[in-house]
Amino acid sequence: SAWAAAVAAVERQALDAKVLLICHVNPDGDALGSMLGFGLGLLRRGHTNVQAVFPGPLFIAEPFQGLPGLDLLVAEGDACPEPDLVVCFDAASQARLGGLVDRLERAGVSIVLDHHASNPGFGDIPLVDPAAAATSVVAAQLLDRLGVELDAAIAECLYVALVTDTGSFRFALTTPAVHELAARLVATGLRPEEISQRVLDSRPFGAIKLFGDVLSRAELEPAAAGGVGLVWTFATLEDLIRHKQEPYVMEALIEAVRGAAEADVACVFKQVAEREWSVSMRSKGARDVSRVAVSLGGGGHRLAAGYSCAGTLADVVEALRAELTLASS
Ligand code: 5GP
Ligand code: MN
Ligand code: MN
């Protein structure tokens, strides 16, 4: 099985073999948490040459600055060019790895841990479980199979990943097994209230003001077909400058917008450059937004997906409306 192949691929590495852990661009709690938790697990197994990396500048958003294992991180340019083993976390496609794809290709062997239904199954050993609530669930399973005991530091990383990807155990796929894993993690002594506060409920006052501006311009639209509504808003670079905020604060906006009861689909357009947008989508169930995202060049899950696009705001909103109309017919 793929599990046996993954275990064998790790076990046949010498303890000083070059191991490179990679995750998707703009890493979220699941990408960073599963990668660093697994990395700490490898250290615990005795591996001495473990690096972790993600594409783009080495910037850790404030909510993740307390994560254990951050010292495994290296800048993209310092990542081992020809690793013996690459393990990839939470990347729905190779496109999400930016310039790190070449490490995957040049690796002695690569294992891909993920939970996106849209993942095509890349890498030598894909361990993709669309039924897993987070990539950290897959990572915990592999650590178990490797006989690595989950200590408090590993547990904190995996817990952050679990909490962020399940919306604090609210979303679909929050199964009994997820709660059982959470119970094991909490039993190591971690403090859920401290972690939630640090990761989910702590942001600069300027971000609150920015949320006010962005939410006040939200629009509610009946869908052209299908009878379900769309709620959407947008955040611009100008908003960030006006409130002196970093782009990562925009990631939490979708959580507020998706609360509109009248809409089945919620969407936030986050400006990345003059005519470039990163788009977050959520569904309450009637629509499979991962299909919509895939059609627009992105990916994700049935109820949470995203993509990148170019054009004026009017253009990109219209392109989404058209795709939603198509998907409903
Ligand atoms: P979020 O809206 O929280 O950024 O992302 C929701 C889900 O959609 C995540 O599972 C994420 O992996 C996926 N996603 C977000 N943006 C993109 C993108 O640009 N490309 C792909 N393939 N998936 C994305
Ligand atoms: Mn992710
Ligand atoms: Mn994930």
Side-chain angles (χ1 to χ4, degrees):
S1 73
W3 285 110
V7 168
V10 176
E11 285 182 343
R12 95 174 157 256
Q13 303 298 320
L15 289 178
D16 64 351
K18 291 169 282 179
V19 181
L20 184 66
L21 312 178
I22 63 181
C23 70
H24 68 72
V25 67
N26 291 327
D28 52 20
D30 190 27
L32 277 177
S34 57
M35 176 169 77
L36 297 178
F38 191 82
L40 291 171
L42 290 182
L43 295 189
R44 220 171 192 288
R45 252 192 116 247
H47 294 261
T48 55
N49 199 341
V50 181
Q51 291 182 323
V53 68
F54 52 82
L58 181 42
F59 170 83
I60 300 296
E62 185 76 32
F64 305 127
Q65 279 181 12
L67 273 179
L70 285 177
D71 48 1
L72 292 174
L73 283 170
V74 296
E76 192 172 348
D78 296 332
C80 173
E82 288 186 356
D84 299 307
L85 168 67
V86 163
V87 190
C88 176
F89 298 84
D90 204 39
S93 65
Q94 280 159 289
R96 300 277 285 160
L97 298 172
L100 292 170
V101 173
D102 68 337
R103 309 304 204 289
L104 196 86
E105 280 158 2
R106 273 193 248 131
V109 62
S110 62
I111 306 174
V112 172
L113 274 56
D114 189 33
H115 66 131
H116 293 91
S118 61
N119 189 307
F122 63 93
D124 298 327
I125 307 171
L127 287 179
V128 181
D129 181 3
T135 295
S136 68
V137 173
V138 184
Q141 227 166 316
L142 184 53
L143 288 172
D144 282 346
R145 284 172 192 255
L146 287 166
V148 175
E149 193 192 320
L150 305 183
D151 64 20
I154 299 171
E156 181 162 340
C157 290
L158 300 181
Y159 189 81
V160 165
L162 208 50
V163 162
T164 51
D165 258 33
T166 62
S168 302
F169 306 101
R170 289 174 300 148
F171 299 158
L173 305 180
T174 306
T175 57
V178 165
H179 283 290
E180 280 159 20
L181 173 59
R184 282 176 64 200
L185 302 178
V186 175
T188 65
L190 60 80
R191 302 274 301 272
E193 79 281 22
E194 268 174 23
I195 293 178
S196 307
Q197 195 176 93
R198 205 172 68 221
V199 174
L200 301 170
D201 294 326
S202 166
R203 52 180 56 84
F205 182 62
I208 308 293
K209 302 290 278 182
L210 180 146
F211 282 23
D213 290 357
V214 171
L215 295 179
S216 71
R217 56 170 101 105
E219 302 256 2
L220 182 64
E221 299 181 11
V228 290
L230 167 68
V231 61
W232 66 275
T233 191
F234 63 97
T236 63
L237 296 177
E238 164 51 29
D239 291 322
L240 293 177
I241 293 164
R242 191 170 60 259
H243 293 292
K244 300 189 176 65
Q245 294 304 302
E246 298 283 347
Y248 79 84
V249 305
M250 299 197 275
E251 302 305 323
L253 285 164
I254 189 68
E255 277 304 303
V257 177
R258 67 189 280 277
E262 294 87 344
D264 186 70
V265 174
C267 189
V268 175
F269 294 86
K270 297 165 285 186
Q271 190 176 32
V272 176
E274 171 69 20
R275 289 192 177 202
E276 275 177 50
W277 305 84
S278 157
V279 187
S280 285
M281 272 191 293
R282 300 290 185 270
S283 165
K284 292 203 175 75
R287 291 290 174 78
D288 178 347
V289 287
S290 86
R291 281 176 54 190
V292 176
V294 167
S295 308
L296 293 165
H301 312 280
R302 220 168 59 74
L303 304 182
Y307 61 97
S308 296
C309 57
T312 64
L313 179 67
D315 290 343
V316 296
V317 173
E318 191 45 42
L320 173 65
R321 274 192 207 104
E323 201 51 55
L324 282 170
T325 307
L326 268 182
S328 73
S329 56

